[in-house]
Amino acid sequence: MADRSRLEELARLYGVQTSFHDGLGQERTCSDDSLVAVLRVLGASLDHPDDAADAVRVRRIADWRTVLEPVTIAWATAPAAIRLRLPREQFAGSYRVAVALEDGDVVEHEGRLEGLPVVDGAEIGGEAFEERRIEIGRPLPLGRHRVGLEARGDAWDGWIFSAPERVHVDESARHFGLFMPLYALWSERSTGGGDLTDLEALVDFVAELGGDVVGTLPLCASFLGERPFDPSPYAPVSRLFWNELYLDPSRVPEIERCARAREMLASDAFRHEAASLRELPMVDYRRQMALRRPVLEELADCFFESNDGTALARFVETKPSVLDYARFRAATETRNEVWHCWPERMRDGLLEPGDWDERLFRYHLWVQWRTSEQLSGLCERARAHGPGIYLDMPLGVHPDGYDMWRERGAFLMGCSAGAPPDMLFTAGQNWGFAPLSPQGMRADGYRYFTECLRQQMSLSGVLRIDHVMGLHRIYCVPPGADARDGVYVRYRAEELYAVLCMESALHRTMVIGEDLGTVPDEVRDAMERHGLHRMYVFPFELRPGEEPLVRQPREDAAASLNTHDMPTFEAWFNARDVDDRAALGLIDEGAAEHERRGRFETVEALCAHMGVPCEPHPVLRAALERLAASPARVLLINLEDLWLETDPQNVPGTSHERPNWRRRGRHSIEEMRSMAEVVEVLREVAARRRASE
């Protein structure tokens, strides 16, 4: 019989939890099979629990023979230091440390190995190892610096991250604004869904009313063609590139000299199809792309026909990976198949001329350039009023996408991220995408994670980190396993926070951590320590039968009435979400009736507490005014709540059952600007926000 204690020791060495509490409060002990499967994905050399003892020895030897850690954190207020591990008898002679700073300078330090202080030690297989500390001698400037160590005729290198301990926080005002998915936003000039010109109109509308934040869902590149197709903003092709669906072709420079594109936009066929798409209650992504893409392709052709590539070359110089991305997208479309089906050479990341259609390559290169340019201009305009654009960093990426193809070392390719059982999902969840690899990210100095943050923070004044617990640990479901049989794998959270704090300070971007649901205390302690804003969602803060009924937001909170994964305010008020879950079979009728009674009792108590008629709009207005007067630093209002929308944008746990990520807003931008129930509430919120400062 296998020795469970050895398997648990191996799990600890790899940062794997052997037990945990699920969302139902039940302690779950991970099975041997699940632990073995996830440990194998993490690189452990075992096929059976009986192999754990040998695997422990192999891992411990590997750890102690790692002379210099791949990443060292140096919080900016303290002197930098590194640790090195060697066999005890080798701590003799001189050493030299050179830190190559990001700005080009070099900080050097020399000394004697035998004089270094011992901080740890171990004996493995009869050999004694020690870990000693080298003080660099002074704080380092903010940045990701390369560190090199020379001693005993050998050399090792790694990274030192010199980071502020806290993310950027704009304490100059109490901010507020509107939230709306861009695909759902539309105007009388739209082609069925929103584009960056529509988002700019929303920015201007918010600014006119005294707001300074406009929130939307991720704007990352998506698969919107025939194969593959996935419009979910949380399953992007890449977190490193933008979605060209939102590019406004009428505002790119090429439109002035591209007669073919102008004729297409002005044609009866184009205008008729755009009008038809505007009449649909749901966004038809395929029809939208089929309408817009030929115009964009003509504009790209016009640009490359002009032979004036200076500005594009400057863009490529700042983001050279765009060439690789454009080749990947072109190869996917040329072959009309996902990368998993490509020949081995291409599958392994090597593309050669002939693997892609050159016109498709030029198209994807051009749309990334112009989308980045148009989005940058919009965000600069938004930041003139305050934080500006509020973006969302998705937790995962599409398995058929660019990031999974090019950045495989950064992912745990053999398992899926998910969540253990909770009250809503009693069978657990398998989200279908690979989680980030703790070892893979460290080995590369967190380059991919850094680039993802830079892409989002380069434009956003506020960035929400989806599933902020993912900075600490991720629930991994082994291949072929039930979602209830997952295992938590831990990350080196302080290293991820260091990257987050660095990039936030560099871009002056405030950070919100999505910390809803069952979240360990260590996560919220770390958020507070590093200055991340917590989420305050009004219905979750009601405590029927307690005083006070409504818990007050903290200053470090981003307050709202709901999120994109929740029912709208009107649906919550009338328990429509309970009806929907019952209709979907997620709960039985007895449980649904119990929830309805509890909801109605809560709503009645809330109405009495606020002293307003027990109707959705008066309660909505009173709740928003209460949040506006609160200390919460950010207040984000779901635009659709203001006209009492009943249908959600997303119903978690569903796919084909509900049209997630497709519902257009009920009213156009032009209509909502003249709606009293929208404008009056926002003016009152603006006044209360100013008074609360």
Side-chain angles (χ1 to χ4, degrees), residues 409-431:
F411 294 92
L412 291 176
M413 296 292 286
C415 55
S416 296
D422 59 26
M423 292 184 67
L424 287 178
F425 301 99
T426 55
Q429 297 176 71
N430 184 330
W431 296 331

Side-chain angles (χ1 to χ4, degrees), residues 121-148:
E123 186 170 315
I124 304 174
E127 186 171 21
F129 290 85
E130 287 183 347
E131 181 178 82
R132 301 198 182 195
R133 177 182 174 92
I134 298 177
E135 297 276 355
I136 304 300
R138 68 176 178 85
L140 300 174
L142 177 70
R144 300 170 79 251
H145 312 304
R146 291 295 287 173
V147 58

Side-chain angles (χ1 to χ4, degrees), residues 357-371:
D357 180 276
E358 191 64 21
R359 186 175 185 239
L360 293 174
F361 163 75
R362 290 195 301 263
Y363 164 78
H364 283 288
L365 178 61
W366 180 84
V367 291
Q368 280 306 310
W369 172 37
R370 289 307 190 196
T371 304

Side-chain angles (χ1 to χ4, degrees), residues 252-428:
V252 299
E254 288 77 16
I255 197 69
E256 296 299 324
R257 62 176 184 269
C258 188
R260 296 190 300 273
R262 292 198 305 274
E263 290 168 2
M264 293 171 75
L265 288 173
S267 68
D268 290 341
F270 186 97
R271 288 190 287 188
H272 176 78
E273 177 68 351
S276 176
L277 289 168
R278 284 196 297 272
E279 294 298 317
L280 298 176
M282 299 292 166
V283 174
D284 190 325
Y285 291 97
R286 285 192 174 96
R287 281 177 62 184
Q288 268 204 81
M289 285 302 293
L291 178 64
R292 296 163 62 86
R293 179 153 176 170
V295 179
L296 296 174
E297 288 176 337
E298 287 291 349
L299 291 164
D301 290 344
C302 284
F303 169 79
F304 286 102
E305 288 167 5
S306 72
N307 296 316
D308 180 14
T310 305
L312 175 58
R314 286 197 295 268
F315 172 69
V316 171
E317 186 176 353
T318 62
K319 196 172 181 66
S321 59
V322 70
L323 297 173
D324 190 51
Y325 171 79
R327 293 184 192 111
F328 169 84
R329 294 300 302 268
T332 300
E333 293 180 10
T334 300
R335 299 184 64 86
N336 193 30
E337 60 184 7
V338 298
W339 66 265
H340 305 278
C341 301
W342 292 354
E344 184 177 3
R345 168 183 58 81
M346 298 174 65
R347 203 168 57 240
D348 289 344
L350 181 59
L351 297 184
E352 297 176 350
D355 291 336
W356 65 84
D357 180 276
E358 191 64 21
R359 186 175 185 239
L360 293 174
F361 163 75
R362 290 195 301 263
Y363 164 78
H364 283 288
L365 178 61
W366 180 84
V367 291
Q368 280 306 310
W369 172 37
R370 289 307 190 196
T371 304
S372 296
E373 187 177 64
Q374 210 168 89
L375 192 50
S376 296
L378 164 63
C379 292
E380 184 177 349
R381 181 185 183 114
R383 279 207 171 189
H385 307 293
I389 300 298
Y390 170 127
L391 292 180
D392 199 357
M393 173 88 151
L395 178 65
V397 293
H398 199 289
D400 298 330
Y402 172 78
D403 292 8
M404 289 293 294
W405 172 75
R406 176 53 70 202
E407 302 287 351
R408 262 169 279 180
F411 294 92
L412 291 176
M413 296 292 286
C415 55
S416 296
D422 59 26
M423 292 184 67
L424 287 178
F425 301 99
T426 55

